[in-house]
């Protein structure tokens, strides 16, 4: 009796416990040996199927996640920011007396006062135009003003320098 | 420096390093895609399902048994996804023989190989979904009858009968005179 298809399949799948029996039949039966050979070549053919290439990268959703680590500022830049704040504070303290001195001078006039001032300035302007006389310049505390301007300029320069440094490093 | 092992990458991925998982995907994406392509016989769908397999794996990375090999595991996940996909779609078992169109401009020798490959793919695609998955698991993932029965949760006798029947159908398709 010839081998069944199941026997041949199990033999090739190495899932039979009648191996010796099958092999002895195969060695004496050309017909079954030919059937086995045909089945085996089918296996080879199925398993020879070449792999195809992908057209997209499946790793992209994992490598391009938005949860990238937040970039940290270098330590010296963090120190620069603190130093900048400290210097600005010191400068403000130094500048404070000048500012206080100036505050009484900046009196907010009431609304009628403004109108009367505007009116008198307008008439004086008309006066100047008609007489071509140089008006008298009111006295200004030149020393205090120039010190304050100097301090404010110093603060601005420090501020701009510090920010410029930060921006330049972020752009790199 | 040696490349990190799959195990290292899985441990890194568990600590929230998505890039480590990306590296694993890079290692296995072609083989996983090919599992899907053999079963589905449709490139776009195969790529989608392969992507889905990796996303599921990533979601389950914390419960993955670190002692198992990642490659065989992810290929089984992919095969199962494809089977579920086919069953949910109730795809007709008769798929075209008219897909050889894009091999038209290849050199003759390459074209012969590619034609034969296409015939094998078409023959595979003509099998019922539950036969296709068993051929995939046995021939391409080299699983034993018992492993397949476990994986698909079906009796051993079904594994054998479906596999042997699938091979018979494939032989008829492939060796039929033109
Ligand atoms: Zn015989």
């Amino acid at each position: 009796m010839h081998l069944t298809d199941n026997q041949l399949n199990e033999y090739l799948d190495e899932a039979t416990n009648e191996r010796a029996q099958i092999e002895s039949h195969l060695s004496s039966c050309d017909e079954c040996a030919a059937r086995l050979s045909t089945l085996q070549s089918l296996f080879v053919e199925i398993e020879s199927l070449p792999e195809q290439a992908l057209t997209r990268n499946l790793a992209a959703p994992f490598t391009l996640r938005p949860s990238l680590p937040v970039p940290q500022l270098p330590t010296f830049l963090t120190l620069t920011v603190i130093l900048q704040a400290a210097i600005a504070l010191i400068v403000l303290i130094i500048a404070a007396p000048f500012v206080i001195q100036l505050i009484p001078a900046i009196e907010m006039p009431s609304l009628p006062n403004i109108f009367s001032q505007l009116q008198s300035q307008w008439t004086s302007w008309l006066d100047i135009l008609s007489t071509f006389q140089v008006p008298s310049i009111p006295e200004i505390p030149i020393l205090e003003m120039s010190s304050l301007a100097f301090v404010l300029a110093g603060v601005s320069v420090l501020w701009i320098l510090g920010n410029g440094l930060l921006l330049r490093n972020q752009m790199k | 420096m040696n490349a990190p092992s799959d195990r290292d990458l899985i441990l890194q991925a568990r600590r929230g390093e998505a890039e480590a998982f990306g590296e694993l995907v890079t290692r296995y994406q072609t083989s996983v895609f090919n599992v899907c392509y053999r079963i589905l016989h449709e490139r776009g769908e195969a790529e989608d399902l392969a992507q889905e397999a990796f996303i599921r794996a990533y979601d389950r990375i914390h419960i993955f048994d670190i002692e198992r090999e990642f490659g065989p595991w992810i290929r089984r996940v992919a095969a199962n996804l494809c089977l579920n996909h086919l069953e949910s779609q109730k795809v007709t078992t008769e798929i075209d023989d008219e897909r050889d169109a894009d091999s038209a401009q290849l050199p003759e020798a390459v074209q012969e190989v590619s034609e034969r490959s296409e015939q094998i793919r078409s023959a595979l695609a003509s099998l019922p979904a539950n036969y296709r998955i068993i051929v995939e698991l046995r021939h391409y993932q080299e699983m034993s009858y018992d492993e397949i029965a476990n994986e698909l949760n079906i009796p051993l006798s079904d594994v054998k009968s479906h596999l042997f029947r699938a091979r018979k159908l494939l032989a008829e398709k492939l060796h039929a005179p033109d």
Side-chain angles (χ1 to χ4, degrees):
Chain A
M1 210 171 101
H2 289 304
L3 297 172
T4 64
D5 282 347
N6 282 15
Q7 280 176 307
L8 291 176
N9 274 286
E10 286 171 1
Y11 178 76
L12 286 179
D13 284 327
E14 294 177 350
T16 179
N17 44 23
E18 42 191 37
R19 198 161 188 87
Q21 215 178 309
I22 292 171
E23 278 172 357
S24 92
H25 180 89
L26 286 171
S27 63
S28 60
C29 176
D30 289 347
E31 199 186 320
C32 286
R35 284 166 59 217
L36 184 78
S37 163
T38 305
L39 190 60
Q40 197 159 26
S41 60
L42 176 72
F43 283 25
V44 170
E45 195 153 40
I46 293 172
E47 287 161 22
S48 70
L49 196 61
E51 290 214 318
Q52 295 280 308
L54 276 158
T55 60
R56 56 175 138 130
N57 180 15
L58 304 182
F62 303 99
T63 51
L64 303 176
R65 293 219 155 188
S67 61
L68 289 170
V70 181
Q72 294 287 316
L73 283 174
T75 338
F76 85 92
L77 271 182
T78 320
L79 284 176
T80 308
V81 174
I82 295 167
L83 200 69
Q84 193 184 339
I87 292 170
L89 193 68
I90 291 164
V91 167
L92 273 177
I93 290 164
I94 294 167
F98 299 107
V99 177
I100 288 163
Q101 269 186 18
L102 276 183
I103 282 172
I106 314 166
E107 265 181 65
M108 284 305 286
S110 60
L111 212 59
N113 276 353
I114 291 173
F115 281 127
S116 66
Q117 253 181 351
L118 276 175
Q119 202 177 21
S120 64
Q121 270 177 6
W122 177 244
T123 46
S124 68
W125 176 241
L126 286 179
D127 263 8
I128 292 161
L129 280 181
S130 57
T131 58
F132 290 106
Q133 276 181 343
V134 181
S136 61
I137 298 162
E139 255 184 59
I140 294 166
I142 292 181
L143 188 75
E144 278 88 341
M145 280 301 282
S146 64
S147 304
L148 184 67
F150 179 75
V151 164
L152 285 176
V155 172
S156 304
V157 166
L158 273 171
W159 189 257
I160 288 163
L161 269 180
N163 283 321
L165 209 64
L166 281 174
L167 273 175
R168 204 186 58 176
N169 270 278
Q170 272 181 2
M171 279 156 121
K172 268 186 195 167
Chain B
M1 207 177 81
N2 288 334
S5 67
D6 289 357
R7 194 192 147 98
D8 292 340
L9 291 173
I10 291 166
L11 292 174
Q12 285 173 33
R14 280 186 181 175
R15 291 196 294 266
E17 295 172 35
E19 296 83 2
F21 193 78
E23 173 59 30
L24 267 182
V25 176
T26 304
R27 285 181 190 179
Y28 293 104
Q29 60 179 345
T30 302
S31 70
V32 169
F33 159 67
N34 275 278
V35 169
C36 300
Y37 191 39
R38 282 190 296 263
I39 297 174
L40 301 174
H41 196 233
E42 210 286 303
R43 178 174 280 280
E45 265 181 10
E47 289 184 342
D48 288 347
L49 275 260
Q51 183 76 82
E52 178 68 24
F54 284 114
I55 289 168
R56 289 203 182 190
Y58 187 66
D59 290 341
R60 289 185 212 160
I61 200 75
H62 292 278
I63 53 169
F64 174 73
D65 178 1
I66 199 80
E67 300 309 322
R68 292 179 79 177
E69 278 189 75
F70 183 77
W73 177 70
I74 187 70
R75 283 190 283 269
R76 274 174 226 183
V77 169
N80 268 309
L81 266 180
C82 292
L83 179 64
N84 293 341
H85 178 74
L86 286 175
E87 283 177 344
S88 72
Q89 271 198 329
K90 295 244 157 54
V91 161
T92 51
T93 52
E94 286 303 318
I95 301 190
D96 53 321
D97 293 307
E98 69 222 35
R99 289 199 199 209
D100 324 77
D102 46 57
S103 59
Q105 283 141 359
L106 296 171
E108 212 168 303
V110 178
Q111 199 172 327
E112 261 175 42
V113 172
S114 131
E115 264 175 28
R116 192 57 179 160
S117 299
E118 195 48 44
Q119 284 169 349
I120 297 170
R121 288 189 191 281
S122 291
L124 283 172
S126 74
L127 298 175
N130 55 344
Y131 287 17
R132 249 185 271 180
I133 187 92
I134 293 176
V135 171
E136 168 63 33
L137 295 180
R138 174 70 204 129
H139 282 285
Y140 300 99
Q141 304 197 25
E142 295 168 356
M143 288 167 71
S144 69
Y145 296 165
D146 283 321
E147 286 171 329
I148 296 170
N150 263 328
E151 183 66 30
L152 300 179
N153 214 5
I154 56 174
L156 187 66
S157 57
D158 283 5
V159 173
K160 289 198 210 177
S161 64
H162 291 177
L163 179 63
F164 303 164
R165 179 88 189 112
R167 284 169 176 165
K168 217 176 173 65
L169 290 169
L170 287 174
E172 282 168 13
K173 276 260 171 189
L174 292 172
H175 301 134
D178 290 321

mmCIF file of all heavy atoms in Angstrom, chain B residues 123-154:
data_model
loop_
_atom_site.group_PDB
_atom_site.id
_atom_site.type_symbol
_atom_site.label_atom_id
_atom_site.label_comp_id
_atom_site.label_asym_id
_atom_site.label_seq_id
_atom_site.Cartn_x
_atom_site.Cartn_y
_atom_site.Cartn_z
ATOM 1 N N ALA B 123 -1.407 32.888 -6.033
ATOM 2 C CA ALA B 123 -1.895 31.589 -5.570
ATOM 3 C C ALA B 123 -2.190 31.638 -4.067
ATOM 4 O O ALA B 123 -3.229 31.147 -3.611
ATOM 5 C CB ALA B 123 -0.867 30.502 -5.877
ATOM 6 N N LEU B 124 -1.269 32.266 -3.315
ATOM 7 C CA LEU B 124 -1.477 32.419 -1.861
ATOM 8 C C LEU B 124 -2.747 33.222 -1.592
ATOM 9 O O LEU B 124 -3.560 32.864 -0.745
ATOM 10 C CB LEU B 124 -0.282 33.131 -1.218
ATOM 11 C CG LEU B 124 0.986 32.319 -0.976
ATOM 12 C CD1 LEU B 124 2.110 33.244 -0.520
ATOM 13 C CD2 LEU B 124 0.744 31.236 0.063
ATOM 14 N N ALA B 125 -2.903 34.303 -2.372
ATOM 15 C CA ALA B 125 -4.046 35.182 -2.156
ATOM 16 C C ALA B 125 -5.366 34.509 -2.513
ATOM 17 O O ALA B 125 -6.428 34.927 -2.065
ATOM 18 C CB ALA B 125 -3.873 36.464 -2.965
ATOM 19 N N SER B 126 -5.284 33.457 -3.343
ATOM 20 C CA SER B 126 -6.514 32.770 -3.744
ATOM 21 C C SER B 126 -7.018 31.816 -2.661
ATOM 22 O O SER B 126 -8.144 31.332 -2.733
ATOM 23 C CB SER B 126 -6.271 32.001 -5.043
ATOM 24 O OG SER B 126 -5.484 30.853 -4.773
ATOM 25 N N LEU B 127 -6.162 31.568 -1.661
ATOM 26 C CA LEU B 127 -6.569 30.649 -0.581
ATOM 27 C C LEU B 127 -7.544 31.341 0.370
ATOM 28 O O LEU B 127 -7.487 32.551 0.542
ATOM 29 C CB LEU B 127 -5.342 30.213 0.227
ATOM 30 C CG LEU B 127 -4.244 29.435 -0.493
ATOM 31 C CD1 LEU B 127 -3.066 29.216 0.464
ATOM 32 C CD2 LEU B 127 -4.764 28.101 -1.012
ATOM 33 N N PRO B 128 -8.413 30.550 1.005
ATOM 34 C CA PRO B 128 -9.249 31.146 2.060
ATOM 35 C C PRO B 128 -8.357 31.711 3.175
ATOM 36 O O PRO B 128 -7.256 31.205 3.392
ATOM 37 C CB PRO B 128 -10.061 29.962 2.588
ATOM 38 C CG PRO B 128 -9.947 28.894 1.562
ATOM 39 C CD PRO B 128 -8.673 29.123 0.818
ATOM 40 N N ALA B 129 -8.836 32.747 3.853
ATOM 41 C CA ALA B 129 -8.025 33.449 4.852
ATOM 42 C C ALA B 129 -7.439 32.508 5.904
ATOM 43 O O ALA B 129 -6.265 32.624 6.273
ATOM 44 C CB ALA B 129 -8.859 34.525 5.527
ATOM 45 N N ASN B 130 -8.239 31.556 6.386
ATOM 46 C CA ASN B 130 -7.721 30.691 7.455
ATOM 47 C C ASN B 130 -6.671 29.696 6.952
ATOM 48 O O ASN B 130 -5.857 29.210 7.724
ATOM 49 C CB ASN B 130 -8.870 29.987 8.196
ATOM 50 C CG ASN B 130 -9.773 29.214 7.264
ATOM 51 O OD1 ASN B 130 -9.746 29.421 6.047
ATOM 52 N ND2 ASN B 130 -10.568 28.312 7.819
ATOM 53 N N TYR B 131 -6.644 29.414 5.645
ATOM 54 C CA TYR B 131 -5.578 28.582 5.074
ATOM 55 C C TYR B 131 -4.307 29.420 4.926
ATOM 56 O O TYR B 131 -3.205 28.961 5.193
ATOM 57 C CB TYR B 131 -5.967 28.054 3.685
ATOM 58 C CG TYR B 131 -7.021 26.965 3.664
ATOM 59 C CD1 TYR B 131 -7.845 26.704 4.751
ATOM 60 C CD2 TYR B 131 -7.171 26.165 2.519
ATOM 61 C CE1 TYR B 131 -8.813 25.703 4.702
ATOM 62 C CE2 TYR B 131 -8.132 25.166 2.457
ATOM 63 C CZ TYR B 131 -8.954 24.951 3.545
ATOM 64 O OH TYR B 131 -9.900 23.965 3.487
ATOM 65 N N ARG B 132 -4.516 30.646 4.458
ATOM 66 C CA ARG B 132 -3.394 31.545 4.206
ATOM 67 C C ARG B 132 -2.555 31.751 5.465
ATOM 68 O O ARG B 132 -1.339 31.733 5.418
ATOM 69 C CB ARG B 132 -3.942 32.915 3.779
ATOM 70 C CG ARG B 132 -3.671 33.250 2.352
ATOM 71 C CD ARG B 132 -4.124 34.650 2.059
ATOM 72 N NE ARG B 132 -5.511 34.684 1.626
ATOM 73 C CZ ARG B 132 -6.150 35.811 1.300
ATOM 74 N NH1 ARG B 132 -5.537 36.970 1.386
ATOM 75 N NH2 ARG B 132 -7.401 35.769 0.911
ATOM 76 N N ILE B 133 -3.254 31.961 6.569
ATOM 77 C CA ILE B 133 -2.526 32.242 7.814
ATOM 78 C C ILE B 133 -1.721 31.016 8.247
ATOM 79 O O ILE B 133 -0.601 31.149 8.736
ATOM 80 C CB ILE B 133 -3.502 32.713 8.928
ATOM 81 C CG1 ILE B 133 -2.748 33.165 10.178
ATOM 82 C CG2 ILE B 133 -4.478 31.648 9.346
ATOM 83 C CD1 ILE B 133 -2.457 34.614 10.168
ATOM 84 N N ILE B 134 -2.266 29.825 8.018
ATOM 85 C CA ILE B 134 -1.533 28.622 8.430
ATOM 86 C C ILE B 134 -0.295 28.412 7.554
ATOM 87 O O ILE B 134 0.779 28.063 8.049
ATOM 88 C CB ILE B 134 -2.463 27.389 8.420
ATOM 89 C CG1 ILE B 134 -3.518 27.560 9.527
ATOM 90 C CG2 ILE B 134 -1.680 26.103 8.627
ATOM 91 C CD1 ILE B 134 -4.554 26.467 9.582
ATOM 92 N N VAL B 135 -0.439 28.676 6.248
ATOM 93 C CA VAL B 135 0.729 28.585 5.353
ATOM 94 C C VAL B 135 1.797 29.589 5.814
ATOM 95 O O VAL B 135 2.988 29.268 5.880
ATOM 96 C CB VAL B 135 0.326 28.860 3.882
ATOM 97 C CG1 VAL B 135 1.552 28.996 2.989
ATOM 98 C CG2 VAL B 135 -0.581 27.743 3.368
ATOM 99 N N GLU B 136 1.356 30.798 6.147
ATOM 100 C CA GLU B 136 2.279 31.827 6.632
ATOM 101 C C GLU B 136 3.027 31.339 7.872
ATOM 102 O O GLU B 136 4.257 31.429 7.959
ATOM 103 C CB GLU B 136 1.510 33.118 6.929
ATOM 104 C CG GLU B 136 2.278 34.192 7.702
ATOM 105 C CD GLU B 136 3.488 34.747 6.976
ATOM 106 O OE1 GLU B 136 3.459 34.827 5.734
ATOM 107 O OE2 GLU B 136 4.476 35.107 7.662
ATOM 108 N N LEU B 137 2.287 30.853 8.839
ATOM 109 C CA LEU B 137 2.907 30.464 10.117
ATOM 110 C C LEU B 137 3.814 29.242 9.954
ATOM 111 O O LEU B 137 4.864 29.155 10.573
ATOM 112 C CB LEU B 137 1.829 30.197 11.176
ATOM 113 C CG LEU B 137 0.982 31.420 11.578
ATOM 114 C CD1 LEU B 137 -0.046 31.042 12.636
ATOM 115 C CD2 LEU B 137 1.847 32.569 12.084
ATOM 116 N N ARG B 138 3.424 28.307 9.093
ATOM 117 C CA ARG B 138 4.229 27.092 8.923
ATOM 118 C C ARG B 138 5.437 27.352 8.035
ATOM 119 O O ARG B 138 6.563 27.043 8.388
ATOM 120 C CB ARG B 138 3.358 25.965 8.346
ATOM 121 C CG ARG B 138 4.099 24.701 7.989
ATOM 122 C CD ARG B 138 4.589 23.945 9.226
ATOM 123 N NE ARG B 138 5.742 23.100 8.888
ATOM 124 C CZ ARG B 138 6.886 23.090 9.541
ATOM 125 N NH1 ARG B 138 7.057 23.867 10.606
ATOM 126 N NH2 ARG B 138 7.859 22.304 9.162
ATOM 127 N N HIS B 139 5.206 27.934 6.855
ATOM 128 C CA HIS B 139 6.299 28.034 5.873
ATOM 129 C C HIS B 139 7.206 29.232 6.079
ATOM 130 O O HIS B 139 8.390 29.166 5.788
ATOM 131 C CB HIS B 139 5.735 28.055 4.451
ATOM 132 C CG HIS B 139 5.320 26.704 3.962
ATOM 133 N ND1 HIS B 139 6.221 25.747 3.567
ATOM 134 C CD2 HIS B 139 4.093 26.132 3.866
ATOM 135 C CE1 HIS B 139 5.578 24.641 3.215
ATOM 136 N NE2 HIS B 139 4.274 24.842 3.399
ATOM 137 N N TYR B 140 6.657 30.344 6.546
ATOM 138 C CA TYR B 140 7.482 31.549 6.649
ATOM 139 C C TYR B 140 7.907 31.841 8.089
ATOM 140 O O TYR B 140 8.922 32.454 8.327
ATOM 141 C CB TYR B 140 6.758 32.752 6.045
ATOM 142 C CG TYR B 140 6.436 32.564 4.579
ATOM 143 C CD1 TYR B 140 5.167 32.162 4.165
ATOM 144 C CD2 TYR B 140 7.423 32.735 3.604
ATOM 145 C CE1 TYR B 140 4.873 31.963 2.816
ATOM 146 C CE2 TYR B 140 7.135 32.544 2.261
ATOM 147 C CZ TYR B 140 5.857 32.150 1.873
ATOM 148 O OH TYR B 140 5.577 31.957 0.544
ATOM 149 N N GLN B 141 7.094 31.416 9.034
ATOM 150 C CA GLN B 141 7.473 31.650 10.433
ATOM 151 C C GLN B 141 7.903 30.357 11.111
ATOM 152 O O GLN B 141 8.219 30.358 12.301
ATOM 153 C CB GLN B 141 6.327 32.351 11.170
ATOM 154 C CG GLN B 141 5.941 33.648 10.453
ATOM 155 C CD GLN B 141 5.127 34.611 11.292
ATOM 156 O OE1 GLN B 141 5.184 34.598 12.509
ATOM 157 N NE2 GLN B 141 4.363 35.456 10.636
ATOM 158 N N GLU B 142 7.925 29.268 10.347
ATOM 159 C CA GLU B 142 8.483 27.979 10.786
ATOM 160 C C GLU B 142 7.957 27.503 12.130
ATOM 161 O O GLU B 142 8.712 27.008 12.968
ATOM 162 C CB GLU B 142 10.016 28.053 10.785
ATOM 163 C CG GLU B 142 10.560 28.232 9.374
ATOM 164 C CD GLU B 142 12.032 28.601 9.334
ATOM 165 O OE1 GLU B 142 12.629 28.795 10.406
ATOM 166 O OE2 GLU B 142 12.562 28.703 8.219
ATOM 167 N N MET B 143 6.660 27.674 12.332
ATOM 168 C CA MET B 143 6.061 27.187 13.580
ATOM 169 C C MET B 143 5.621 25.732 13.413
ATOM 170 O O MET B 143 5.290 25.289 12.313
ATOM 171 C CB MET B 143 4.855 28.076 13.945
ATOM 172 C CG MET B 143 5.268 29.464 14.430
ATOM 173 S SD MET B 143 3.890 30.645 14.495
ATOM 174 C CE MET B 143 2.960 30.016 15.873
ATOM 175 N N SER B 144 5.635 24.994 14.525
ATOM 176 C CA SER B 144 5.194 23.592 14.489
ATOM 177 C C SER B 144 3.660 23.534 14.497
ATOM 178 O O SER B 144 3.002 24.544 14.764
ATOM 179 C CB SER B 144 5.742 22.853 15.697
ATOM 180 O OG SER B 144 5.100 23.327 16.868
ATOM 181 N N TYR B 145 3.122 22.360 14.203
ATOM 182 C CA TYR B 145 1.658 22.195 14.214
ATOM 183 C C TYR B 145 1.086 22.649 15.570
ATOM 184 O O TYR B 145 0.068 23.337 15.633
ATOM 185 C CB TYR B 145 1.255 20.734 14.005
ATOM 186 C CG TYR B 145 1.621 20.112 12.658
ATOM 187 C CD1 TYR B 145 1.588 18.723 12.494
ATOM 188 C CD2 TYR B 145 1.976 20.890 11.562
ATOM 189 C CE1 TYR B 145 1.898 18.127 11.285
ATOM 190 C CE2 TYR B 145 2.298 20.293 10.344
ATOM 191 C CZ TYR B 145 2.265 18.920 10.207
ATOM 192 O OH TYR B 145 2.576 18.332 9.016
ATOM 193 N N ASP B 146 1.745 22.193 16.636
ATOM 194 C CA ASP B 146 1.259 22.522 17.982
ATOM 195 C C ASP B 146 1.272 24.029 18.242
ATOM 196 O O ASP B 146 0.325 24.580 18.802
ATOM 197 C CB ASP B 146 2.128 21.832 19.049
ATOM 198 C CG ASP B 146 1.789 20.356 19.161
ATOM 199 O OD1 ASP B 146 0.588 20.015 19.078
ATOM 200 O OD2 ASP B 146 2.727 19.545 19.325
ATOM 201 N N GLU B 147 2.363 24.656 17.837
ATOM 202 C CA GLU B 147 2.467 26.115 18.042
ATOM 203 C C GLU B 147 1.372 26.850 17.265
ATOM 204 O O GLU B 147 0.783 27.812 17.769
ATOM 205 C CB GLU B 147 3.845 26.614 17.587
ATOM 206 C CG GLU B 147 4.969 26.249 18.543
ATOM 207 C CD GLU B 147 6.368 26.545 17.988
ATOM 208 O OE1 GLU B 147 6.551 26.474 16.754
ATOM 209 O OE2 GLU B 147 7.264 26.826 18.790
ATOM 210 N N ILE B 148 1.111 26.377 16.052
ATOM 211 C CA ILE B 148 0.068 27.026 15.235
ATOM 212 C C ILE B 148 -1.302 26.835 15.895
ATOM 213 O O ILE B 148 -2.100 27.781 15.993
ATOM 214 C CB ILE B 148 0.067 26.462 13.793
ATOM 215 C CG1 ILE B 148 1.382 26.802 13.096
ATOM 216 C CG2 ILE B 148 -1.111 27.030 12.997
ATOM 217 C CD1 ILE B 148 1.585 26.100 11.758
ATOM 218 N N ALA B 149 -1.557 25.600 16.371
ATOM 219 C CA ALA B 149 -2.839 25.312 17.030
ATOM 220 C C ALA B 149 -3.035 26.230 18.237
ATOM 221 O O ALA B 149 -4.117 26.785 18.450
ATOM 222 C CB ALA B 149 -2.886 23.854 17.453
ATOM 223 N N ASN B 150 -1.948 26.423 18.991
ATOM 224 C CA ASN B 150 -1.994 27.313 20.158
ATOM 225 C C ASN B 150 -2.233 28.750 19.760
ATOM 226 O O ASN B 150 -3.050 29.448 20.356
ATOM 227 C CB ASN B 150 -0.660 27.247 20.896
ATOM 228 C CG ASN B 150 -0.714 26.279 22.056
ATOM 229 O OD1 ASN B 150 -1.771 26.126 22.661
ATOM 230 N ND2 ASN B 150 0.400 25.633 22.346
ATOM 231 N N GLU B 151 -1.478 29.167 18.758
ATOM 232 C CA GLU B 151 -1.539 30.566 18.329
ATOM 233 C C GLU B 151 -2.933 30.924 17.823
ATOM 234 O O GLU B 151 -3.450 32.000 18.120
ATOM 235 C CB GLU B 151 -0.486 30.785 17.228
ATOM 236 C CG GLU B 151 -0.369 32.198 16.716
ATOM 237 C CD GLU B 151 0.139 33.182 17.758
ATOM 238 O OE1 GLU B 151 0.906 32.766 18.650
ATOM 239 O OE2 GLU B 151 -0.259 34.363 17.677
ATOM 240 N N LEU B 152 -3.514 30.022 17.040
ATOM 241 C CA LEU B 152 -4.814 30.337 16.420
ATOM 242 C C LEU B 152 -5.983 29.807 17.239
ATOM 243 O O LEU B 152 -7.142 30.035 16.879
ATOM 244 C CB LEU B 152 -4.867 29.763 14.996
ATOM 245 C CG LEU B 152 -3.797 30.280 14.029
ATOM 246 C CD1 LEU B 152 -3.952 29.619 12.662
ATOM 247 C CD2 LEU B 152 -3.876 31.800 13.883
ATOM 248 N N ASN B 153 -5.627 29.069 18.305
ATOM 249 C CA ASN B 153 -6.673 28.537 19.172
ATOM 250 C C ASN B 153 -7.647 27.631 18.406
ATOM 251 O O ASN B 153 -8.859 27.767 18.513
ATOM 252 C CB ASN B 153 -7.429 29.699 19.820
ATOM 253 C CG ASN B 153 -7.875 29.358 21.219
ATOM 254 O OD1 ASN B 153 -7.545 28.283 21.736
ATOM 255 N ND2 ASN B 153 -8.649 30.240 21.836
ATOM 256 N N ILE B 154 -7.050 26.721 17.626
ATOM 257 C CA ILE B 154 -7.864 25.756 16.875
ATOM 258 C C ILE B 154 -7.300 24.361 17.131
ATOM 259 O O ILE B 154 -6.145 24.225 17.552
ATOM 260 C CB ILE B 154 -7.862 26.053 15.345
ATOM 261 C CG1 ILE B 154 -6.433 26.090 14.783
ATOM 262 C CG2 ILE B 154 -8.592 27.369 15.059
ATOM 263 C CD1 ILE B 154 -6.376 26.237 13.267
#
